[in-house]
Amino acid sequence: MKKEINEQERIEFRRYSTIYNVLLVMTMLLLIPLSKTFGWIGSAIWIIICAVTFYYGSRVEKYKKKHNIQTYKEIRAFKEGKTLSEIELAREEGKRPYQKAFITIGLSILAVVVTASMILIYRYL
């Protein structure tokens, strides 16, 4: 990470991250309610929400790539306007391969749980 972090970039990163997180939750939760309520128009609305979510997700990833931040500790330090020492950076780079695997597994489990709960809700509506 660069030693001097631009305040404007931190604010934009935080804003894009918040928008992305809200849209991601909406994407997970709204497919069945929108489809059930509005039919194919609800599905089209959901696809639009997915497209906007993808846009903000790509913006967040551009910031992460630009400032070489990938782990939670690096992201948190960036949001606070701090930098990590060389030793901390080396440790975080060593953790990256493992963290990506755990994140993938965790998100897969979360997707299964959310899908199963939405199916149960759909059956009882």
Side-chain angles (χ1 to χ4, degrees):
M1 261 186 312
K2 297 178 182 178
K3 292 293 180 189
E4 295 181 19
I5 299 172
N6 186 356
E7 182 70 23
Q8 183 64 27
E9 287 183 342
R10 283 187 335 104
I11 291 169
E12 285 181 13
F13 179 75
R14 181 174 283 149
R15 189 177 94 228
Y16 288 147
S17 296
T18 303
I19 292 170
Y20 173 68
N21 289 332
V22 169
L23 287 171
L24 188 60
V25 170
M26 287 175 57
T27 301
M28 289 189 300
L29 298 177
L30 290 180
L31 174 61
I32 293 176
L34 284 173
S35 298
K36 181 85 170 158
T37 306
F38 300 110
W40 67 271
I41 295 174
S43 298
I45 293 169
W46 184 80
I47 290 171
I48 292 169
I49 293 171
C50 286
V52 174
T53 304
F54 180 76
Y55 170 76
Y56 280 104
S58 65
R59 297 291 298 191
V60 168
E61 288 301 318
K62 284 181 184 179
Y63 274 102
K64 287 170 56 177
K65 185 175 182 179
K66 179 179 177 182
H67 294 286
N68 192 24
I69 52 176
Q70 295 180 11
T71 64
Y72 176 74
K73 192 172 188 178
E74 292 171 334
I75 293 169
R76 191 179 69 215
F78 179 78
K79 283 184 174 182
E80 294 172 358
K82 300 176 183 175
T83 58
L84 299 178
S85 69
E86 293 298 322
I87 295 172
E88 289 175 321
L89 281 175
R91 286 183 184 160
E92 293 302 312
E93 286 179 10
K95 294 178 187 177
R96 287 179 186 167
Y98 303 110
Q99 287 180 344
K100 288 183 180 183
F102 286 131
I103 287 171
T104 303
I105 292 167
L107 288 177
S108 299
I109 292 169
L110 178 65
V112 168
V113 169
V114 168
T115 303
S117 62
M118 293 304 292
I119 289 171
L120 290 174
I121 291 169
Y122 181 73
R123 284 186 181 171
Y124 291 111
L125 289 179

